Amino acid sequence: MEYNFREVEKKWQAYWAKNKTFKPEEKSTKPKYYVLDMFPYPSGAGLHVGHPLGYIASDIFARYKRLKGFNVLHPMGYDSFGLPAEQYAIQTGQHPEITTKTNIARYREQLDKIGFSFDWDREVRTSNPDYYKWTQWIFIQLFNSWYNPETNKAENISTLIEKFKVQSSKFQVGGVEKKYAELSEKEQSDLLLEHRLAYLSDTMVNWCPQLGTVLANEEVKDGVSERGGYPVERKLMKQWSLRITAYADRLLNDLDGIDWTESIKEAQRNWIGKSEGTSLKFKIENSTSEIEVFTTRPDTVFGVSFVTLAPEHDLVSQITTPAQKTAVDEYITFAKNRSERERMADVKKITGVFTGAFVIHPFTGKQIPIWIGDYVLAGYGTGAVMAVPSHDTRDFAFANHFSIDKKIIITPPTEWDFEKNSYDEKEGKLIDSDFLNGLEVKAAIKKVISVIEEKELGKGKTNFRLRDAIFGRQRYWGEPIPVYYENGIPKVLDEKELPLLLPEVDKYLPTETGEPPLARASSSWRKDGKHEYEYSTMPGWAGSSWYFLRYMDAHNEKEFVSKEAANYWQNVDLYIGGAEHATGHLLYVRFWTKFLNDLGLIPVSEPAKKLINQGMIQGVSNFVYRIGTSNKYVSSGLKKDYDTTPLHVDVNIVNNNVLDIEAFKIWREENKNAEFILEDGKYICGSEVEKMSKSKWNVVSPDVIVEQQGADCLRLYEMFLGPLEQSKPWNTSGISGVSNFIRKLWRLYHNGDALNISEEPATKPELKIVHKTIKKIAHDIENFSFNTSVSSFMICVNELTDLKCNKREILEPLAIIIAPYAPHIAEELWNKLGHTEGVSYAKFPEVNESYLVESAFSYPVSFNGKTRFFQEYDLSLTKEQIEKEVMTLEQTQKYLEGKTPKKIIVVHNKIVNIVI
RNA sequence: GCGGAUGUGGCGUAAUGGCAGCCGCGCCAGACUUAGGAUCUGGUGCCGAGAGGCGUGGGGGUUCGAGUCCCUUCAUCCGCACCA
C-alpha cells in the first residue's frame, strides 16, 4: 500500500494539538529563539498558495531550532481591525466583528491543514478588547510623554511641566507673555499638546472622500488610496498624530545594527529622508517680517535670483502687493483645488505667480523677487526656498518658464552648457561670490555656514522628509482612541477605565453632519455619562506596532507584557513577511519599540534582529479563445487564423495548459454547448503571469493541494519553487516531482506494506550519503536556502534507493533532518522506527566529518582552461607529484601536440590546468 | 531622476573564482501492465553525421581559469520621487 498522507497528516496534527507540542517551556534553561511571521489580515477570500510561503519558511526554521535545542517561540494571530471588513459591513449591515470571526475561522482551518508548529495558545487578535485594551494603554503612555532632546529619550510629560514651571520660562499667548502657572487650563493643554508624543493638532491630511477617512502617507500611492484606489485630497483637519519625527534620527541610525535586507533599510532611509543644510533668513523689503528658507546649498547664496514660497505659506497674504493680489488669490485657489493626484501627475508643468514683494539679499543687499510656486512643498523645511536657477534643476525650470535672471556662481570642472541645464553637482570653484570666491564647493559650504551663524542669519540644521504619523481614522472598525473632551480639552482615560469598548452603532457610515461613525453611538456612550469621547479610531497599523511583545505574555491581564517575559524573549530573532510593509508597519513597530524601551518597559530598542522578505507568488492565468461572439473556442496554437477574444478560464480546470473540456462545459452554464477546435486532439490554453486574484480565475488554494497531494508535499513544493526572497509565478505542474519524492522516501523505509528496517551497521558509502545531507541541510537552513535543501533530500533518497539501504543507522537521522520540512511523514516514520517521543524535539544529528573525507579525487585535466579528460589521484599526492604524473600520461601528450607547457597549475582536490 | 533587485536549457532552478546546467517539470525512447494523472530504466543546453565547435542579457577588463570579481551598457520588476 502507498503512503496514506491524508490519514497520517490528520493523525499528527491532532497529536500536536492534543499534546501542545509547540508550547515553549516556561522556565527553561535552553537558549530562547523567537520566530515570527507577519500576522495576516483575515480577508474574506481566504488564503491562496502565496500566503503560506513565508509561514512555511519560518516554520521550517522554528522546527529546526527546536531540534537544535532551543526554546522556540513561534506564535500566530490576526491583524483583525481594518477597512475591508468595514466596507463589507457598510454594504451588508453585518457587524464587522461577525465577518472577522468567520474569516478568522476559515484562516485557522486553512493554516491547520498545513501543519504549522504554532503555539496557538498565544494567539492574538488586534480587534479583541483584551488585546486593544493594551493598544489603548500604549496610546495613553504616548500622550503622557514628550521627547526630551537633551536625554534623547521619551520622558513623562511631568518632567517637561517641571521645566516650564521654572521661573524664567515665558510663553507667548495671544501676544501676551505669561508664565506657565499663569496659563489657563486650556492654554496649558494646548502648549503641552505641542510636545506630547500623541497629540491633537490642525494638520494637512490626506482626505479620501470615498472612504470617508484620512489616510497616512504610506496608505496613499500615486495620489489615490492604496485600498480601493480612490482619489485623495489635501485638507486641513484637527487630527491625532504620533510624533514619530522625534525618533527620525534613531530610526535612521539604528538601521545599521539590524540584519534586515538592504532594500528595506534603503526604503526606510529614503522615507526618513535626512538632509543636512542650513536655515537662512531673508528680510522682506519694507517690512519687519523675514522669510526663513532651508537649503542644503548655502554656498550658492550669491546665485539667488528669487525666493519661492509654498502656496500655503503663512506670509503669502501679508506680503502680496495690491497689484498682484488678484493673480495670487487666483493661483492659491488653483493650487488648493488641485488634487494630489493632479499635482503629482504633471510635475513637469510649471506653475507659479509673482507676489509683487521683494526680500533683501542678506549679503549683497540687493532686491530679490518673491514668487509663489507649488513646486515648493508646505510640509517640508520651512515651506520656502531660495532659488538658484543655475545650480538647481527645479529652480532652473521655474526661472526659464517665467524668464527670471540666472547667475552662474560655480565653475564646473568640465565643460557645461548653462543654457541647457543647471549644474547641480557639488564640485567646482565658486565665482562672483564675494568672500566665497575661489573656494571649492565643499569648503564654501563650511565657510558660508560659519558666516551665516556668526551674523545670526540662520544656522546649520537637519531636516527630515518623514512626517508625523496621523493616527486618527474616521472609521468604525478600529481601536477607539481612549480620549474624552472636557470643556474642549482632550484628556486621556485612566488605565482602570480600559478597554474603552467599541460602541454599537446603527450604521457604519459617517453621520449626516459628517462626523465619524462612532458619533452614532447612543448618548449614553459618554465618559461619566457626560463627556464626549473621541470619535476617531486608530489606524490599521496600531495593533501591529507592538503585537510581537504580546505574544510573549498573551494572557497577562495586568500588563501589556510582563518584565519577566520581555526580559526572557527580548525581541524577534527571525521575522518573515512581505516587503510591502517597508515604510509602514516596519517603521511604526520600530518606533513603538523604541518608545516602550525609553520608558523602561521593555529591554530592547529594535523589534527584530533579522528580517527576511519572502517574494510574491504570482498567478499564472489561463485563457481560452472564443471566436467572435460565437460559442466556439479555438485552441491556442490555431488562434491566429480566427478573430478571437481571450477569456480567463479557471486554472483549476486546466492541466499543463490543456483544458479539461468536460469540466469547462459545467464550469459555467453558458458553456454547456460550447464547441472546440482542437490541436492534436487537445484544447491548449494560453497563459500569462498576473497577480493572483479571484477576478483573473488564477487563484490556487492551498486546501486543494493539501487535499490532493498532502501538506508535506505543499510545504516541500513551495520551498522547491526557488529562493524564498524571489518573486515567482505559481505553477502546480511541477508538484508531481515532489509528490513522487515523498512516496520514494516512504518506500525507503518499507517493503510493500510492512516496515522494513535493518539493524545492520551502515557501510561507509551509506554514511557518507547521509552525513553529506545532514551537513547540507543544516547549512541551507541557516542560510535560508530552503529550495536547495529539497533538492538535497531528493539526491539523498535517490542515492539510498540505489544502494537499497534500509539501515536504522541511516534512516533515523534522515527522518530527523527532514522533519522541519515534511513534519507529518517524519513523525510517522519516527514513530514506526519505535520512538514514543515525537520527532519535534529529537536531536538534530551531528555531522561526522570523517565520513566525508575522500582518499582520492578525479581531477579534471584541462588545457588552457578547457577540460579534456579526467585522471584520479590519491589526495595524499603533492602538487609536484601530480604535475609529474600528469605529464607522463599518453592523453596529456596527445593534447600537448608536441608543445612544451608554459605552466602547469595544480589545485589540490580541484583541477589540473596545463597552459600551452 | 534616485535607490533596490533580477537576467543561466522549452520551464522552475543549481553551481566556497576550478568539469556550467545539480534537483525537478516537460519532452523522447524503452520495460512492466487489467491502458494509467501508477511504477521502473535510459536519454534530453544549442549547432554538427562526426571530430568538434558554441554557450550564463551585450561589450570590455582582472586571472592559468569568470555565471561568480571589476568597469560599462541594455532589458525587466519593485520602492521612492518637485524633499530645496
Side-chain angles (χ1 to χ4, degrees), chain A residues 160-173 175-185 187-189 191:
Chain A
L160 181 66
I161 295 171
E162 281 312 308
K163 278 181 189 273
F164 283 167
K165 282 183 178 163
V166 171
Q167 273 311 35
S168 59
S169 294
K170 295 262 173 70
F171 302 93
Q172 286 275 346
V173 180
V176 190
E177 276 209 339
K178 290 184 185 172
K179 287 184 185 167
Y180 184 78
E182 294 162 0
L183 298 175
S184 69
E185 191 192 357
E187 285 165 347
Q188 287 185 350
S189 163
L191 175 65

Side-chain angles (χ1 to χ4, degrees), chain A residues 437-590:
Chain A
N437 280 340
L439 290 174
E440 283 289 330
V441 169
K442 276 162 199 148
I445 292 176
K446 270 195 189 145
K447 167 101 189 187
V448 75
I449 290 179
S450 71
V451 174
I452 287 169
E453 289 188 343
E454 196 181 298
K455 299 198 168 183
E456 294 183 355
L457 296 166
K459 56 180 174 192
K461 204 177 157 188
T462 301
N463 256 323
F464 293 94
R465 202 193 75 107
L466 184 73
R467 306 282 70 152
D468 276 342
I470 293 163
F471 198 65
R473 295 291 181 276
Q474 290 62 51
R475 303 289 299 201
Y476 178 74
W477 194 230
E479 301 87 346
I481 293 178
V483 164
Y484 65 96
Y485 293 89
E486 198 176 328
N487 306 321
I489 298 169
K491 298 186 173 176
V492 289
L493 297 181
D494 197 86
E495 183 179 333
K496 63 179 182 292
E497 296 171 287
L498 299 180
L500 174 60
L501 294 172
L502 251 183
E504 292 302 317
V505 293
D506 57 339
K507 273 193 260 181
Y508 306 101
L509 289 170
T511 64
E512 282 66 27
T513 54
E515 288 199 278
L518 291 198
R520 292 178 175 274
S522 89
S523 54
S524 63
W525 193 62
R526 293 271 191 278
K527 153 83 175 162
D528 302 329
K530 48 186 182 196
H531 304 300
E532 272 184 13
Y533 286 121
E534 169 63 48
Y535 291 144
S536 304
T537 52
M538 297 188 196
W541 49 266
S544 60
S545 297
W546 71 282
Y547 76 117
F548 79 100
L549 295 165
R550 188 63 180 172
Y551 284 133
M552 297 173 180
D553 194 11
H555 303 291
N556 194 329
E557 289 176 10
K558 298 212 166 59
E559 295 162 286
F560 74 111
V561 60
S562 73
K563 277 255 158 62
E564 294 88 336
N567 280 332
Y568 180 72
W569 292 110
Q570 297 277 312
N571 55 8
V572 176
D573 293 284
L574 173 65
Y575 195 21
I576 297 189
E580 66 273 19
H581 299 107
T583 53
H585 161 63
L586 288 172
L587 206 51
Y588 295 125
V589 70
R590 293 184 61 221

